[in-house]
Amino acid sequence: MIEKINQLKAEIETLSPKDLAEADQLRIKYLSKKGLVSSLFNDFRNVPADQKKAIGQALNELKTFATDKINALRESLETADVTDPGLDLTRTPSPLPLGSRHPLSIVRDKIISIFDRLGFTVAEGPEIEDDWHVFSSLNFAADHPARDMQDTFFIQRNPDVLLRTHTSSVQSRVMEHTQPPIRIICPGRVYRNEAISARAHCFFHQVEALYVDKNVSFADLKQTLLYFAQEMFGPETKIRLRPSYFPFTEPSAEMDISCNLCGGKGCSFCKHTGWVEILGCGMVDPNVLEACGIDSKVYSGFALGMGVERMTNLKYQVTDLRMFSENDKRFLEEFQSAL
Ligand code: DAH
């Protein structure tokens, strides 16, 4: 009898039902009226009187043990949601979908970080400006066509309150309250009254750079431009400067880089010239320095300005400007790996 009790106990100890239904089966098998434990109680009648005490105790212990064990098994099965066969609590969770940075922000930050390595610091100015900072201080003649209603958004018909048409306005804002050396980089949004198309938009982004100090020369400008172009588009990039005109620089130039798609051999992107235009630049006109309270006999400087959309187009071949402001997720998600 003792042997049977021990055998049953060992058997119950190893039970591991896989669901609640199986646990119920086990309860019936061992603990119901006709169950294995109960049938041992029936056999108890035949136990000799001198063993009754020990065996009775062992039997009661077995019953408590079996009840506790089967209840514990049931409980642990109840807390796990076995109704969902796909549930695996040990599985690694699926990653949360992450957003991506806007391509214009990626490119703007890249431009800033290149100039940062040359000692330029970020300066910002207001988007709602006045005529002085956007035009007059920058040597635009009173009748310059850029001031025209066709180009500039004026606010409330007041010709002195307008949306800046370029970030060059930050140049004069900084120069009027800082004496050289000045080495700034000015990122920001600008506005022009243009019909929206794939190639033009009424707002876009620019980055302006300005360096004013004693003995700043055109050679410094050229070296800075070469460094920038090679950091931005790769060490094999070549640059070329073409004479140009801006009211606020003298001399002025436009910079081309060897086409970064065909490496200068000529393709449809560079219209088979091997070169693509990327920015305007020049030596700060002495009139601008004087207008901002800087002595042009002591100091000289260079400035340059570039479009962020243009740079992004060159880097990622986004040819329709409207994509940048449409917020189409499919477009934005393309830049997830560009961070
Ligand atoms: N402000 C000019 C524009 O919007 C770009 C520019 C050209 C900026 C030459 C400069 C510069 O600082 O030197 O088209």
Side-chain angles (χ1 to χ4, degrees), residues 208-337:
E208 182 89 10
L210 172 74
Y211 177 30
V212 184
D213 203 350
K214 287 178 180 147
N215 301 320
V216 176
S217 70
F218 201 91
D220 297 319
L221 169 60
K222 204 171 166 191
Q223 190 55 40
T224 306
L225 291 171
L226 181 64
Y227 176 78
F228 169 72
Q230 296 192 334
E231 289 292 302
M232 191 74 189
F233 296 104
E236 65 293 337
T237 309
K238 292 188 197 61
I239 65 167
R240 117 181 146 176
L241 294 174
R242 284 179 289 105
S244 185
Y245 172 78
F246 300 103
F248 36 91
T249 45
E250 182 58 37
S252 304
E254 271 169 293
M255 180 173 94
D256 298 339
I257 57 163
S258 50
C259 178
N260 62 318
L261 283 192
C262 63
K265 284 191 212 70
C267 65
S268 61
F269 190 71
C270 60
K271 300 196 187 79
H272 303 282
T273 62
W275 297 94
V276 284
E277 184 191 320
I278 72 163
L279 53 78
C281 59
M283 300 307 292
V284 181
D285 194 301
N287 288 345
V288 175
L289 296 175
E290 295 293 338
C292 298
I294 290 173
D295 189 343
S296 64
K297 288 181 201 68
V298 180
Y299 297 107
S300 56
F302 69 68
L304 58 98
M306 65 187 104
V308 182
E309 279 79 355
R310 173 101 185 122
M311 292 290 156
T312 311
N313 179 2
L314 284 169
K315 242 180 141 41
Y316 299 116
Q317 289 81 55
V318 180
T319 45
D320 189 333
L321 274 178
R322 292 167 294 196
M323 308 267 272
F324 291 124
S325 45
E326 276 169 351
N327 281 339
D328 185 331
K329 270 180 74 188
R330 292 168 304 173
F331 169 70
L332 297 173
E333 278 163 7
E334 299 259 312
F335 296 90
Q336 233 147 15
S337 60

Side-chain angles (χ1 to χ4, degrees), residues 81-311:
D81 184 9
V82 289
T83 55
D84 177 2
L87 184 76
D88 175 2
L89 294 174
T90 63
R91 230 187 72 194
T92 334
S94 7
L96 288 172
L98 282 182
S100 52
R101 299 192 56 218
H102 194 282
L104 293 178
S105 305
I106 297 171
V107 170
R108 178 203 57 207
D109 290 353
K110 177 132 180 96
I111 299 169
I112 291 174
S113 92
I114 295 170
F115 278 92
D116 175 63
R117 276 174 260 153
L118 293 173
F120 286 72
T121 50
V122 171
E124 285 180 308
E127 291 177 14
I128 301 174
E129 265 291 7
D130 50 38
D131 179 274
W132 171 255
H133 291 100
V134 177
F135 298 125
S136 299
S137 65
L138 294 169
N139 206 30
F140 279 81
D143 56 355
H144 194 284
R147 296 172 181 243
D148 204 307
M149 281 286 213
Q150 306 302 313
D151 279 310
T152 310
F153 283 116
F154 292 91
I155 292 176
Q156 290 182 340
R157 294 170 196 276
N158 178 348
D160 201 36
V161 186
L162 46 97
L163 296 178
R164 66 180 179 194
T165 55
H166 55 180
T167 45
S168 304
S169 56
V170 186
Q171 278 191 29
S172 37
R173 285 210 169 259
V174 170
M175 281 194 281
E176 68 190 3
H177 61 72
T178 319
Q179 280 301 304
I182 296 170
R183 220 181 287 170
I184 50 163
I185 175 118
C186 325
R189 180 174 285 184
V190 301
Y191 300 84
R192 286 185 200 175
N193 194 354
E194 303 245 12
I196 298 171
S197 71
R199 305 176 133 259
H201 211 294
C202 58
F203 65 79
F204 52 98
H205 301 80
Q206 290 187 333
V207 176
E208 182 89 10
L210 172 74
Y211 177 30
V212 184
D213 203 350
K214 287 178 180 147
N215 301 320
V216 176
S217 70
F218 201 91
D220 297 319
L221 169 60
K222 204 171 166 191
Q223 190 55 40
T224 306
L225 291 171
L226 181 64
Y227 176 78
F228 169 72
Q230 296 192 334
E231 289 292 302
M232 191 74 189
F233 296 104
E236 65 293 337
T237 309
K238 292 188 197 61
I239 65 167
R240 117 181 146 176
L241 294 174
R242 284 179 289 105
S244 185
Y245 172 78
F246 300 103
F248 36 91
T249 45
E250 182 58 37
S252 304
E254 271 169 293
M255 180 173 94
D256 298 339
I257 57 163
S258 50
C259 178
N260 62 318
L261 283 192
C262 63
K265 284 191 212 70
C267 65
S268 61
F269 190 71
C270 60
K271 300 196 187 79
H272 303 282
T273 62
W275 297 94
V276 284
E277 184 191 320
I278 72 163
L279 53 78
C281 59
M283 300 307 292
V284 181
D285 194 301
N287 288 345
V288 175
L289 296 175
E290 295 293 338
C292 298
I294 290 173
D295 189 343
S296 64
K297 288 181 201 68
V298 180
Y299 297 107
S300 56
F302 69 68
L304 58 98
M306 65 187 104
V308 182
E309 279 79 355
R310 173 101 185 122
M311 292 290 156

Side-chain angles (χ1 to χ4, degrees), residues 14-29:
T14 61
L15 294 178
S16 68
K18 58 178 186 304
D19 53 31
L20 279 174
E22 210 174 284
D24 275 336
Q25 292 292 317
L26 292 174
R27 192 180 48 78
I28 293 165
K29 178 174 172 191

Side-chain angles (χ1 to χ4, degrees), residues 19-71:
D19 53 31
L20 279 174
E22 210 174 284
D24 275 336
Q25 292 292 317
L26 292 174
R27 192 180 48 78
I28 293 165
K29 178 174 172 191
Y30 293 99
L31 295 168
S32 67
K33 273 201 180 121
K34 289 182 182 159
L36 293 173
V37 177
S38 317
S39 71
L40 281 183
F41 274 91
N42 293 339
D43 296 347
F44 185 66
R45 259 181 262 137
N46 312 324
V47 171
D50 58 335
Q51 291 177 24
K52 272 208 154 79
K53 194 175 171 210
I55 291 186
Q57 209 176 339
L59 260 181
N60 280 327
E61 271 170 23
L62 174 69
K63 190 174 176 188
T64 319
F65 174 76
T67 313
D68 288 352
K69 172 82 187 174
I70 289 172
N71 282 345

